Amino acid sequence: MGVSRLDVLYRKLLLTKLFIQGWGKPEDLKRIFEFRKIIGNRDKCKHLVPRDYPVFTDKVEDHSDCKIHNGHFISPLEHLVPGVLPAESVKARFQFIVPKRWRKHRPVCIHLAGTGDHFFWRRRTLMARPMIKEAGMASLLLENPYYGYRKPKDQVRSSLKNVSDLFVMGGALILESAVLLHWLEREGFWPLGMTGISMGGHMASLAVTNWPKPIPLIPCLSWTTASNVFTTGVLSKAVNWRQLEKQYATHTVYEKEIIHMLEYCGTDSFRMGQDFVRNSPGSFEKLSGLALSRDLLGLSGAEGEQVGGRPGAGGRGPDPSLLLQRRDGDGLDRMLSAVSSSRPHMDMLHAKNVSPGAGQRHSLQRESLCFMKGVMDECTHIANFSVPVDPSLIIIVQAREDAYVPRTGVRSLQEIWPGCEVRYLGGGHVSAYLFKQAIFRKAIYDAFDRFVQKYPLL
C-alpha cells in the first residue's frame, strides 16, 4: 500500500519548523526519563494522583442541546516534577459538554487534542456536539499543555520549541487524565472512556495504560510510537535537524549520559536507523529536506500491509539491550555501529573523531537521527508502559495510507495489547480527519457498549 498524496501535499503547504531550539535542557530530559520509569509502571504510581484531587468549575454556558461547563485545576506534574512545565501550562483547562437529557446511564468520553488543535472549538464542533445528538453522550475536552490557553508566549502556533516539550506534554496529560477520571467518578458519571485523534489518540493511549480499571479507549490515526512520526513520516520534514545536529555535536551530555537512560529494548528499538542506512545510501546530506520516497517512508515492502501479529523476523535488528548496557566507552557509537552493520564501509560514526567534510556531516546526521529514535521510543513507545487492564475495550481506527504515522518497522499494537481491535480506513491521515469523523464516533459508541455489556456493575 502506498502513502497518501494528500498527506504529502498538505505537509508541504505548512512552513513551520518543529524543535527550533533543539533537544531541550539535558537536566529536563534526565528528569523526564526518570519520571517515565515511574508512570510507565501502573503499580508504581497508584497514589500519584489522589482520588480527591481538587478540580474547579467556572462559568456554565446554556445551549439548546447541552450545557458547557468550563473548568480548571493545577497539573499534578507541577507538584511531581516542579518547573518542567512552562508557567503558562501549569493550569490545566477543560470544557465539559453535558447533554440536557441523558438517554441511558451518564457516559462521558474524554477527548485529548491532536496536533494543532488549540482551544476547544474543533473537538466541540466535530465530535462533542454530534455525540450528544447521536448517542446522548457527554464529552470532556482537555486542553493540551503548550496549546491554546496553555501555550507559552514565545511559541509559534503549534511548533514545540524542544523535543523534550513533547515528553513533558505526555507526562502531564497522563496525570491530568487521571485527575479528570477521578473527578468524573466522584460526580457519579458512568461509564467513562478516552479518545483522541492523531497525537491526541496516542496521548489517550498513554493515559489509559496508567488507569487501574477497565476503560474504553478509542485512539484514532495513531499507532505504537512517535519515533516513526518524526523520523520517517512526512512530519520529519518539519523537524529542524540542523539545530538538533549542532546541539548534539556541541553538548556531549546527550551521548555520554542521556543515551544510557534509554530503556526501551523491544524488537523494533532503533530498527529505523538500520533501515534508513540500508535503504537510503547517500541520502544523509539531504536529511534536513527528507525526500518522501516510498523507500524512505518505509512502505516499499509487503510489511506495510501488515494487519496484526509480529513484524517479519527478516528485518529485525541487533538486540538493543546489549548495546545500551555497555557503559565502558561511547555507548552511542556502539549502537550506531550495530545499526550500520549492513554497510561495513560506514565505520566512522562519531562526528568529532573524523576529519571535517562529508564524512563528518553524514556521521552527525546518523547520530542525531538515531538519538531521536531512541528518545522518542523511551517516552512514547506503548511497550514502555503497562498494558491496559482490559485491551478488549480498545478499538483503534487507523488509515491504511497514513503518511504521518508510518506503521512499518514498529511493533503492532495488536502484539503489544493482545485482544484489542484495529479498524482500517481507506486513504490517508488528512482525508480521514476531514471526512471520517463519523467512523471515529461509531468506534467510540461500540467501545462503550462493549464495556457496559462486560462490566454492567462496575
Side-chain angles (χ1 to χ4, degrees):
M1 182 69 72
V3 297
S4 166
R5 292 183 179 180
L6 178 59
D7 284 359
V8 175
L9 174 62
Y10 185 78
R11 179 58 246 172
K12 287 181 178 179
L13 297 177
L14 302 179
L15 304 177
T16 54
K17 283 285 186 182
L18 294 171
F19 314 135
I20 58 174
Q21 291 187 7
W23 300 103
K25 297 177 182 177
E27 56 268 28
D28 284 348
L29 280 170
K30 291 179 182 179
R31 295 169 75 201
I32 294 165
F33 289 174
E34 289 297 336
F35 188 65
R36 206 286 309 158
K37 296 175 185 177
I38 298 172
I39 60 173
N41 186 327
R42 189 166 54 239
D43 293 333
K44 288 184 178 180
C45 51
K46 291 180 179 178
H47 306 294
L48 284 183
V49 178
R51 293 184 179 182
D52 59 351
Y53 194 95
V55 175
F56 307 96
T57 53
D58 309 318
K59 63 178 181 178
V60 179
E61 304 171 21
D62 195 359
H63 296 262
S64 60
D65 57 342
C66 66
K67 289 188 176 182
I68 300 179
H69 303 258
N70 293 276
H72 69 274
F73 57 93
I74 300 301
S75 177
L77 189 64
E78 176 65 13
H79 304 305
L80 296 168
V81 191
V84 75
L85 275 169
E88 299 89 342
S89 297
V90 169
K91 180 187 284 189
R93 300 173 183 268
F94 65 89
Q95 278 194 351
F96 186 27
I97 303 169
V98 183
K100 287 191 170 179
R101 294 183 180 179
W102 299 97
R103 297 185 187 178
K104 187 178 181 182
H105 312 303
R106 296 207 295 167
V108 181
C109 189
I110 297 176
H111 302 248
L112 299 187
T115 301
D117 191 354
H118 295 259
F119 304 103
F120 307 109
W121 182 88
R122 195 181 303 178
R123 284 171 288 166
R124 187 174 65 235
T125 303
L126 298 179
M127 294 293 284
R129 298 294 281 271
M131 287 170 64
I132 286 178
K133 181 178 180 180
E134 295 168 355
M137 183 179 292
S139 293
L140 194 151
L141 317 179
L142 175 63
E143 182 90 272
N144 285 7
Y146 300 94
Y147 277 20
Y149 294 112
R150 308 179 71 183
K151 184 173 76 70
K153 292 182 176 62
D154 58 347
Q155 177 181 302
V156 179
R157 294 186 289 278
S158 308
S159 300
L160 299 180
K161 294 180 295 181
N162 303 291
V163 174
S164 61
D165 293 346
L166 185 68
F167 309 148
V168 172
M169 180 191 291
L173 288 172
I174 291 173
L175 299 171
E176 292 166 14
S177 297
V179 169
L180 293 171
L181 289 168
H182 282 311
W183 178 68
L184 291 168
E185 280 191 338
R186 295 200 307 270
E187 296 295 318
F189 296 99
W190 183 92
L192 309 177
M194 295 196 66
T195 190
I197 301 173
S198 191
M199 180 181 72
H202 195 81
M203 296 299 184
S205 297
L206 296 179
V208 164
T209 67
N210 209 253
W211 187 244
K213 301 177 183 179
I215 182 173
L217 167 66
I218 309 89
C220 303
L221 308 183
S222 66
W223 199 234
T224 312
T225 176
S227 63
N228 273 20
V229 172
F230 295 105
T231 55
T232 64
V234 292
L235 272 184
S236 61
K237 284 182 66 70
V239 173
N240 190 346
W241 290 106
R242 295 281 182 171
Q243 175 63 17
L244 294 176
E245 293 162 12
K246 178 181 176 182
Q247 196 174 78
Y248 184 84
T250 304
H251 303 286
T252 59
V253 63
Y254 294 109
E255 60 176 323
K256 298 296 185 183
E257 299 180 33
I258 291 177
I259 190 66
H260 296 300
M261 300 181 71
L262 306 182
E263 288 192 339
Y264 176 62
C265 294
T267 57
D268 56 341
S269 182
F270 302 108
R271 176 177 173 181
M272 189 282 301
Q274 185 182 43
D275 291 341
F276 188 89
V277 170
R278 183 190 307 116
N279 294 334
S280 306
S283 68
F284 299 103
E285 206 152 32
K286 303 174 184 177
L287 187 57
S288 59
L290 284 170
L292 295 172
S293 68
R294 286 170 60 96
D295 284 341
L296 182 55
L297 288 167
L299 293 167
S300 58
E303 199 175 11
E305 276 295 284
Q306 177 185 320
V307 174
R310 294 179 178 274
R316 183 169 298 174
D319 183 356
S321 62
L322 300 178
L323 300 171
L324 296 180
Q325 288 170 3
R326 296 281 296 275
R327 303 274 177 143
D328 53 327
D330 193 337
L332 184 60
D333 276 346
R334 290 194 178 87
M335 180 185 78
L336 286 162
S337 296
V339 164
S340 303
S341 59
S342 60
R343 298 190 61 202
H345 62 284
M346 300 179 71
D347 292 329
M348 301 188 69
L349 297 166
H350 193 271
K352 292 176 282 298
N353 291 338
V354 298
S355 58
Q360 179 176 356
R361 174 73 179 147
H362 293 167
S363 172
L364 186 56
Q365 288 173 332
R366 287 196 299 277
E367 293 189 37
S368 300
L369 189 70
C370 286
F371 188 66
M372 175 72 86
K373 167 72 173 172
V375 296
M376 283 286 173
D377 278 344
E378 171 65 24
C379 287
T380 72
H381 202 299
I382 291 297
N384 237 9
F385 295 78
S386 300
V387 175
V389 174
D390 187 349
S392 73
L393 303 175
I394 301 171
I395 300 178
I396 300 133
V397 184
Q398 180 52 263
R400 288 191 181 277
E401 299 175 19
D402 197 326
Y404 279 80
V405 187
R407 298 185 301 278
T408 298
V410 297
R411 296 170 65 191
S412 165
L413 275 176
Q414 291 154 305
E415 175 191 349
I416 301 169
W417 292 342
C420 71
E421 178 185 350
V422 181
R423 299 179 181 180
Y424 286 100
L425 305 174
H429 197 90
V430 174
S431 63
Y433 181 85
L434 293 176
F435 307 117
K436 304 297 176 65
Q437 301 268 342
I439 295 177
F440 301 157
R441 296 195 299 271
K442 177 63 164 57
I444 292 172
Y445 308 150
D446 290 347
F448 272 71
D449 288 344
R450 192 174 296 174
F451 174 86
V452 171
Q453 293 173 9
K454 195 167 183 178
Y455 302 98
L457 302 177
L458 187 63

